[in-house]
């Protein structure tokens, strides 16, 4: 199997043009009350549509499109790390910021290949410092969830 | 005037004042260095303490905290590509790249020299020409503001990145994101998708931290795994491929007088740009730093190196944002108009002490005002001395492995974003912007445009809509008012000069 996947530059401009079209035809009419509030969003969305369409057409006919190359394996690993971060962000509300921060630091450092010594030290030191600075000194409170 | 200046300056030199200004600089730098925590927040917290102090001491301490915070924001921008304050976003462009080349101490010190220069120029202008500049600023109505913003956007589109189409797309995306939330004129919600959290506006901290810091961490992860895959393939040892976390020799990582002298023109130009933009209420340090950055890139012989660790890029951004720190007090002190949130807090502090900002301020409270100016100069110098020596610590931090730093930065991004607004929704927004930034980087769409489009969007829309209301929809006012016309003509010249340059390059290539 090929280790890389490629994306054509024309596809990127095509996607942006679609987004522009979506804004002009669907999102702005649905999400903004008619009248003046629509003026600038329409101007910006039309700009996005015109620029991306122009580039799409000119690259398509010139056949000079560039390719963006991505390593599948690297993307898989980065995807896993982003997934851990996503879980951390969404669970902060349920479990609490400090507990989740400790778990997140442990999980990410281990996935990134760090040893237990640095993992445990950081997972305690960082949330503790944040607690002292934010909660004790600046009186800014974090979501506590069902745990601390 | 000079008697008042001398009297004001003499009031500053007491041990208590010096100590409190020092405390202000230190705490401001510390807060500013944590992404999301701004010196404005620190000022709001210590504001009540200043009620019990002498007005000069109390207000100078607040301003010292602000100045420390501005530079603190640049420290995290340089070290981790995580701007501590939105104003430091432009500093991150070349500051982080220069640090990545193994020069953390040199980068911090160059930023420091730039920041102090901008600051001092802003202070001197404030002391000697505040009244004059303020009356010039009064000539800026919605038409001039709109033209100035258009000019700034044209500069960004023509100068950042390699493709004008991508720059334009990036700025348009920023402008579109800025339309989310309440309409600036009617307050009708736009693009809120039925969510209360989006009915206000998108948090600038969530956007800046997500787009710049979180996306950079994802990019570093990508690099880490790319290196790892290569190592596995070719059996190279870890030490050989992990060179990125190494600094150059300690002596080479020192800022020399020659290097400062090489950027003296940029220092001068950016100080003026920052001071002038700071004198206009509402535009602020983010606009100043990006306009100055774009202008330096267009003037520089090394324009192609901008974004890759070019010293002039760092100097331009840092000098201008610091110059704003002083000159944004011009409309406050001369006209009683606070230019930004920090100026508004200082306005509050002055009122509490019975000092009413406005045209009569210097006549009625001359020594106090000049005392505050002296405190500002003292704060700038303290900031220079303290951070010059602490830059040695950053040299040590720079060699920490990226794998250790990544989780730390990601947790701090969340803490900072939440700390700024106390809204859990902003954490999710920050994450979405992080993913968006990562993807945009992958397809080489510059993130600078998104940030600057977002920052200038509300000002542009508000001004254009005001112009339409005042002129009954007649757009000729943009061309009949001299200041507005001047900005538009310069913008047109920038566009023409860019296309001329591109054509020349193409012709040269064809001949070669």
């Amino acid at each position: 199997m090929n280790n890389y996947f490629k994306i054509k530059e024309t596809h990127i401009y095509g996607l942006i043009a679609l987004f522009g079209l979506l804004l002009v035809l669907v999102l702005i009419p649905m999400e903004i009350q008619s009248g003046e509030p629509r003026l600038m969003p329409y101007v910006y969305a039309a700009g996005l549509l015109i620029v991306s369409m122009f580039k799409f057409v000119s690259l398509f006919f010139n056949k000079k499109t560039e390719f963006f190359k991505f390593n599948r394996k690297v993307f898989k690993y980065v995807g896993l790390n982003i997934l851990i971060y996503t879980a951390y962000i969404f669970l902060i509300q349920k479990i609490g910021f400090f507990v989740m921060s400790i778990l997140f630091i442990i999980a990410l450092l281990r996935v990134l290949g760090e040893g237990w010594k640095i993992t445990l030290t950081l997972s305690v030191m960082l949330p503790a410092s944040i607690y002292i600075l934010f909660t004790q000194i600046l009186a800014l409170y974090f979501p506590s969830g069902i745990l601390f | 005037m000079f008697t008042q200046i001398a009297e004001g300056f003499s009031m500053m030199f007491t041990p208590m004042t010096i100590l409190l200004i020092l405390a202000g600089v230190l705490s401001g730098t510390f807060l500013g260095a944590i992404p999301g925590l701004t010196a404005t927040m620190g000022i709001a917290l210590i504001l009540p303490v200043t009620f019990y102090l002498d007005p000069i001491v109390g207000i100078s301490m607040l301003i010292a905290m602000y100045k420390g915070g501005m530079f603190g924001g640049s420290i995290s921008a340089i070290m981790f590509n995580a701007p501590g304050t939105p104003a430091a976003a432009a500093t991150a462009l070349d500051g982080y790249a220069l640090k990545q080349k193994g020069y953390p101490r040199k980068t911090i010190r160059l930023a420091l020299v730039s920041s102090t220069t901008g600051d001092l120029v802003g202070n001197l202008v404030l002391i000697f020409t505040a009244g004059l500049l303020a009356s010039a600023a009064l000539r800026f109505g919605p038409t001039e503001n709109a033209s100035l913003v258009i000019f700034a956007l044209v500069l960004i589109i023509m100068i950042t990145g390699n493709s004008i189409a991508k720059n334009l797309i990036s700025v348009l995306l920023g402008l579109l994101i800025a339309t989310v939330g309440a309409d600036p004129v009617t307050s009708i919600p736009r693009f809120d998708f039925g969510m209360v959290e989006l009915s206000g506006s998108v948090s600038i901290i969530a956007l800046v931290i997500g787009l710049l810091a979180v996306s950079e961490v994802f990019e570093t992860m990508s690099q880490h795994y790319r290196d790892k895959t290569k190592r596995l393939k070719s059996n190279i040892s870890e030490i050989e491929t992990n060179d990125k976390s190494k600094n150059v020799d300690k002596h080479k990582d020192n800022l020399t007088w020659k290097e400062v002298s090489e950027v003296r023109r940029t220092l001068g130009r950016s100080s003026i740009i920052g001071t002038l933009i700071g004198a206009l209420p509402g535009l602020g340090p983010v606009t100043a730093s990006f306009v100055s950055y774009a202008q330096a890139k267009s003037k520089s012989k090394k324009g192609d190196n901008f974004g890759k660790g070019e010293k002039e890029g760092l100097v331009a951004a840092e000098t201008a944002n610091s110059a704003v720190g002083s000159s944004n007090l011009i409309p406050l002190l001369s006209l009683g108009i606070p230019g930004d949130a920090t100026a508004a807090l200082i306005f509050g502090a002055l009122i509490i002490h019975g000092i009413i900002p406005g045209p009569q301020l210097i006549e009625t409270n001359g020594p106090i005002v000049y005392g505050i100016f002296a405190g500002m100069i003292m704060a700038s110098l303290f900031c220079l001395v303290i951070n010059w020596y602490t830059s040695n610590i950053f040299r040590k931090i720079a060699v920490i492995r990226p794998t250790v730093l990544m989780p730390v930065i990601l947790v701090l991004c969340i803490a900072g974003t939440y700390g700024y607004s106390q809204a859990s929704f902003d954490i999710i927004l920050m994450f979405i912007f992080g993913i968006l930034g990562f993807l945009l980087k992958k397809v080489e769409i510059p993130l600078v445009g998104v940030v600057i489009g977002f920052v200038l969007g509300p000002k542009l829309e508000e001004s254009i809509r005001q112009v339409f209301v005042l002129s009954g929809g007649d757009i000729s006012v943009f061309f009949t008012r001299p200041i507005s016309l001047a900005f538009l003509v310069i913008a047109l010249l920038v566009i023409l000069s860019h296309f001329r340059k591109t054509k020349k390059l193409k012709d040269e290539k064809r001949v070669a």
Side-chain angles (χ1 to χ4, degrees):
Chain A
M1 196 181 88
N2 193 350
N3 277 337
Y4 292 90
F5 65 91
K6 289 175 185 172
I7 297 178
K8 274 185 185 176
E9 202 180 11
T10 39
H11 292 169
I12 306 288
Y13 285 117
L15 268 176
I16 296 169
L18 271 180
F19 176 61
L21 204 64
L22 188 75
L23 275 166
V24 173
L25 298 179
V26 183
L27 291 175
I28 296 176
M30 261 177 63
E31 284 297 322
I32 306 177
Q33 198 175 303
S34 62
E36 270 190 38
R38 282 186 186 176
L39 175 70
M40 296 312 274
Y42 264 135
V43 172
Y44 303 148
L48 206 59
L49 183 64
I50 293 165
V51 177
S52 47
M53 273 308 286
F54 173 77
K55 280 303 280 184
F56 178 81
V57 173
S58 70
L59 286 173
F60 188 80
F61 285 107
N62 287 338
K63 298 197 168 148
K64 274 184 185 171
T65 187
E66 209 180 294
F67 285 95
F68 298 102
K69 212 169 102 178
F70 303 102
N71 186 316
R72 282 176 201 276
K73 226 177 202 174
V74 169
F75 244 70
K76 208 174 77 184
Y77 287 130
V78 175
L80 172 72
N81 290 351
I82 292 178
L83 210 65
I84 295 174
Y85 197 46
T86 316
Y88 167 47
I89 283 172
F90 285 94
L91 287 174
I92 284 175
Q93 291 297 314
K94 306 259 181 251
I95 313 281
F97 175 77
F98 294 104
V99 173
M100 276 318 295
S101 297
I102 293 172
L103 295 176
F104 169 71
I105 295 169
I106 293 175
L108 196 59
L109 282 173
R110 292 300 296 159
V111 168
L112 288 167
E114 287 296 333
W116 275 109
K117 205 170 147 187
I118 196 142
T119 302
L120 291 177
T121 314
L122 253 185
S123 66
V124 175
M125 291 288 286
L126 184 65
S129 313
I130 292 175
Y131 176 75
I132 293 167
L133 175 68
F134 282 70
T135 311
Q136 298 299 309
I137 300 175
L138 299 175
L140 297 172
Y141 296 94
F142 286 99
S144 53
I146 50 169
L147 296 168
F148 179 65
Chain B
M1 181 190 183
F2 286 99
T3 330
Q4 283 184 321
I5 293 176
E7 201 182 327
F9 274 60
S10 67
M11 285 161 86
M12 280 308 297
F13 291 96
T14 65
M16 183 65 168
T17 319
I18 293 172
L19 197 72
L20 285 174
I21 289 181
L22 194 65
V25 169
L26 277 171
S27 49
T29 309
F30 180 67
L31 284 177
I34 298 170
L37 286 189
T38 57
T40 311
M41 193 185 287
I43 291 176
L45 285 167
I46 63 156
L47 188 61
V49 178
T50 63
F51 302 162
Y52 304 101
L53 298 170
D54 179 73
I56 299 183
V57 182
I59 292 158
S60 297
M61 187 184 168
L62 294 181
I63 294 174
M65 197 171 211
Y66 176 53
K67 290 191 184 293
M70 288 280 281
F71 188 72
S74 303
I75 292 175
S76 55
I78 290 167
M79 294 304 294
F80 314 116
N81 200 24
T85 56
T91 302
L93 299 174
D94 279 284
Y96 180 66
L98 188 58
K99 174 246 155 190
Q100 285 289 81
K101 289 181 178 172
Y103 299 99
R105 188 167 65 177
K106 190 196 288 263
T107 316
I108 298 268
R109 287 184 174 179
L110 186 59
L112 194 55
V113 169
S114 314
S115 174
T116 312
T117 310
D119 226 353
L120 289 177
V121 171
N123 280 340
L124 292 176
V125 171
L126 179 64
I127 293 172
F128 294 107
T129 62
L132 200 72
L133 266 180
S135 54
L138 273 183
R139 290 171 175 267
F140 271 68
T143 322
E144 287 75 14
N145 278 333
S147 300
L148 175 61
V149 173
I150 291 168
F151 164 66
L153 292 177
V154 167
L155 268 184
I156 300 294
I157 292 164
M158 289 297 157
I159 283 152
T160 53
N162 296 321
S163 148
I164 294 202
K166 283 181 179 171
N167 296 348
L168 197 53
I169 287 172
S170 126
V171 167
L172 286 167
L173 281 176
L175 290 169
L176 271 167
I177 298 170
T179 62
V180 174
D183 174 75
V185 179
T186 60
S187 292
I188 291 168
R190 299 186 295 188
F191 295 125
D192 66 346
F193 300 96
M195 285 184 266
V196 186
E197 294 90 343
L198 281 178
S199 58
S201 65
V202 170
S203 151
I204 184 169
I205 283 289
L207 180 117
V208 169
I209 292 184
L211 274 184
L212 301 180
V214 176
S215 73
E216 180 61 31
V217 174
F218 293 159
E219 187 55 44
T220 313
M221 275 175 189
S222 230
Q223 185 60 44
H224 167 74
Y225 287 116
R226 264 198 300 271
D227 285 350
K228 208 172 170 180
T229 323
K230 268 187 208 164
R231 271 202 306 275
L232 286 174
K233 264 189 186 171
S234 51
N235 271 340
I236 309 168
S237 73
E238 186 153 345
I239 302 153
E240 277 175 275
T241 52
N242 248 358
D243 276 345
K244 271 209 152 180
S245 59
K246 282 192 176 162
N247 288 334
V248 297
D249 182 64
K250 199 176 173 182
H251 299 290
K252 284 184 186 164
D253 190 13
N254 225 341
L255 184 67
T256 60
W257 180 246
K258 195 181 158 221
E259 284 170 310
V260 177
S261 171
E262 279 168 6
V263 292
R264 63 183 185 280
R265 282 203 180 89
T266 313
L267 277 172
R269 268 197 305 263
S270 303
S271 299
I272 295 168
I273 292 174
T275 305
L276 292 177
I277 292 183
L280 303 170
L283 286 173
V286 186
T287 314
S289 55
F290 279 106
V291 169
S292 165
Y293 183 83
Q295 201 273 346
K297 190 177 175 184
S298 71
K299 287 270 174 197
S300 173
K301 286 176 188 160
K302 301 172 194 163
D304 292 342
N305 292 341
F306 273 57
K308 298 172 192 163
E310 177 52 50
K311 287 178 207 133
E312 275 183 89
L314 168 70
V315 169
E318 194 54 30
T319 310
N321 83 30
S322 298
V324 172
S326 304
S327 64
N328 72 355
L329 294 183
I330 292 173
L332 172 73
L333 298 178
S334 316
L335 306 168
I337 305 168
D340 63 8
T342 314
L345 284 171
I346 293 168
F347 181 84
L350 285 167
I351 300 254
I352 287 161
H353 284 287
I355 304 165
I356 312 295
Q360 306 300 318
L361 179 68
I362 296 192
E363 275 172 41
T364 50
N365 291 293
I368 294 179
V369 174
Y370 286 114
I372 294 169
F373 292 163
M376 287 167 70
I377 293 177
M378 200 187 279
S380 302
L381 298 176
F382 279 161
C383 191
L384 174 72
V385 175
I386 294 167
N387 288 302
W388 186 272
Y389 290 102
T390 50
S391 61
N392 288 315
I393 302 170
F394 300 117
R395 198 179 141 76
K396 292 191 173 80
I397 293 175
V399 290
I400 298 175
R401 282 191 301 278
T403 44
V404 175
L405 279 177
M406 280 187 270
V408 175
I409 298 170
L410 288 175
V411 172
L412 280 178
C413 286
I414 288 190
T417 307
Y418 187 80
Y420 181 74
S421 58
Q422 297 275 291
S424 309
F425 183 74
D426 283 354
I427 300 176
I428 297 168
L429 268 187
M430 176 211 71
F431 174 69
I432 293 169
F433 285 125
I435 300 278
L436 178 73
F438 181 57
L439 296 176
L440 290 180
K441 258 187 193 175
K442 288 282 169 208
V443 294
E444 292 167 12
I445 292 179
L447 303 179
V448 191
V450 185
V451 176
I452 197 76
F454 177 79
V455 172
L456 293 180
K459 188 85 192 164
L460 178 68
E461 178 165 15
E462 203 184 320
S463 306
I464 287 184
R465 303 240 320 251
Q466 279 174 351
V467 171
F468 284 164
V469 170
L470 292 171
S471 68
D474 178 15
I475 58 162
S476 67
V477 283
F478 284 108
F479 310 101
T480 51
R481 294 177 69 105
I483 299 174
S484 161
L485 180 67
F487 280 126
L488 295 178
V489 169
I490 302 170
L492 188 69
L493 289 176
V494 170
I495 298 172
L496 292 175
S497 124
H498 178 86
F499 284 116
R500 214 184 59 195
K501 259 187 203 169
T502 319
K503 194 176 172 286
K504 206 176 156 188
L505 272 176
K506 267 185 188 170
D507 290 346
E508 276 172 9
K509 264 186 191 171
R510 210 178 298 147
V511 171

